[in-house]
Amino acid sequence: AQTVTQSQPEMSVQEAETVTLSCTYDTSESNYYLFWYKQPPSRQMILVIRQEAYKQQNATENRFSVNFQKAAKSFSLKISDSQLGDTAMYFCAFNLISNFGNEKLTFGTGTRLTIIP
Amino acid sequence: EAQVTQNPRYLITVTGKKLTVTCSQNMNHEYMSWYRQDPGLGLRQIYYSMNVEVTDKGDVPEGYKVSRKEKRNFPLILESPSPNQTSLYFCASSLGGGGAFFGQGTRLTVV
């Protein structure tokens, strides 16, 4: 079974600074996807960024980028120029496409990020 | 607008009273899932569906039922709710590999 670990339950950073959220995962498979989801106080789950395991290039989406280290099974999220709207719970998630086609996301326990004005 | 719609958003019920949480997506996705979110546990998959009439258990299926009679709808049924099913529930849909689209969530309280 796959597991996802987020070792930072809470973090805070000053507005406009850069912050990095950590995520490690465990799998014996080689083909999978990794995601970061954001959950603001509205509770909506919002996809922030996606990384395919077969791609060596790290994904970027505007101020959000990842550091994907496949051998180390590490997938950290970097938020640059942080904004008040970035305050949210962030979940790391793993998606293994099994032979039975279950689009199952395995989630970490989340990191609560607070941006301080 | 592409979306996954869940109803209701909030629900308080009593132990043993059957309830259904509806979920509908307008993106023609084949894959749909239900998750529950509990503090300190992240989100865990309850049931999933690969297509019409094809469903299977996720990690925490006990006490839940689902059906997939139409591609767009995937209701979650609690036939005899218990207090340990008090949680935040999410429906999700996806094409495959691209990340899932989530509904707005349903906050269920069973007293």
Side-chain angles (χ1 to χ4, degrees):
Chain A
Q2 283 63 234
T3 59
V4 177
T5 302
Q6 294 179 249
S7 59
Q8 305 153 311
E10 295 188 16
M11 296 184 72
S12 61
V13 66
Q14 292 290 136
E15 189 177 7
E17 291 186 348
T18 295
V19 60
T20 299
L21 280 58
S22 301
C23 172
T24 58
Y25 59 94
D26 187 26
T27 183
S28 58
E29 304 289 337
S30 58
N31 294 318
Y32 50 86
Y33 300 92
L34 293 161
F35 307 91
W36 279 97
Y37 280 88
K38 170 184 178 181
Q39 187 180 43
S42 66
R43 303 184 330 210
Q44 181 71 43
M45 292 290 289
I46 302 165
L47 178 62
V48 174
I49 200 164
R50 165 180 178 262
Q51 175 78 44
E52 295 94 331
Y54 62 85
K55 288 186 178 179
Q56 293 190 345
Q57 185 174 4
N58 289 324
T60 62
E61 286 288 342
N62 301 312
R63 297 183 296 108
F64 298 87
S65 62
V66 298
N67 184 4
F68 174 48
Q69 302 289 328
K70 191 173 184 179
K73 296 180 183 175
S74 172
F75 183 62
S76 60
L77 174 70
K78 185 172 82 172
I79 305 174
S80 303
D81 185 27
S82 56
Q83 301 174 359
L84 297 179
D86 295 333
T87 292
M89 180 76 87
Y90 287 81
F91 290 99
C92 179
F94 174 100
N95 182 355
L96 171 65
I97 308 296
S98 73
N99 290 334
F100 299 103
N102 179 6
E103 281 284 291
K104 173 183 171 180
L105 287 166
T106 300
F107 285 86
T109 52
T111 296
R112 186 173 301 281
L113 176 65
T114 302
I115 308 301
I116 302 167
Chain B
E1 179 189 355
Q3 59 185 6
V4 178
T5 304
Q6 288 179 235
N7 280 296
R9 296 287 308 277
Y10 300 89
L11 180 59
I12 301 175
T13 190
V14 296
T15 299
K17 185 176 181 181
K18 181 179 179 179
L19 67 91
T20 299
V21 183
T22 63
C23 174
S24 180
Q25 52 98 358
N26 63 0
M27 295 166 281
N28 202 37
H29 287 167
E30 291 186 348
Y31 301 100
M32 297 186 75
S33 291
W34 277 101
Y35 294 84
R36 61 177 289 172
Q37 181 181 0
D38 300 291
L41 296 177
L43 284 80
R44 295 174 292 166
Q45 191 187 53
I46 302 170
Y47 266 94
Y48 67 94
S49 171
M50 293 173 281
N51 214 324
V52 175
E53 303 292 1
V54 182
T55 64
D56 206 346
K57 298 176 181 179
D59 292 327
V60 287
E62 293 76 21
Y64 305 95
K65 284 178 59 176
V66 293
S67 68
R68 187 98 180 268
K69 294 182 169 53
E70 303 167 284
K71 197 171 187 178
R72 63 184 291 122
N73 296 324
F74 190 46
L76 179 69
I77 303 158
L78 285 72
E79 297 216 325
S80 183
S82 62
N84 65 12
Q85 292 178 298
T86 292
S87 187
L88 178 59
Y89 291 87
F90 285 98
C91 179
S93 75
S94 66
L95 269 175
F101 288 84
F102 283 81
Q104 316 95 305
T106 296
R107 171 72 69 188
L108 172 65
T109 302
V110 183
V111 298

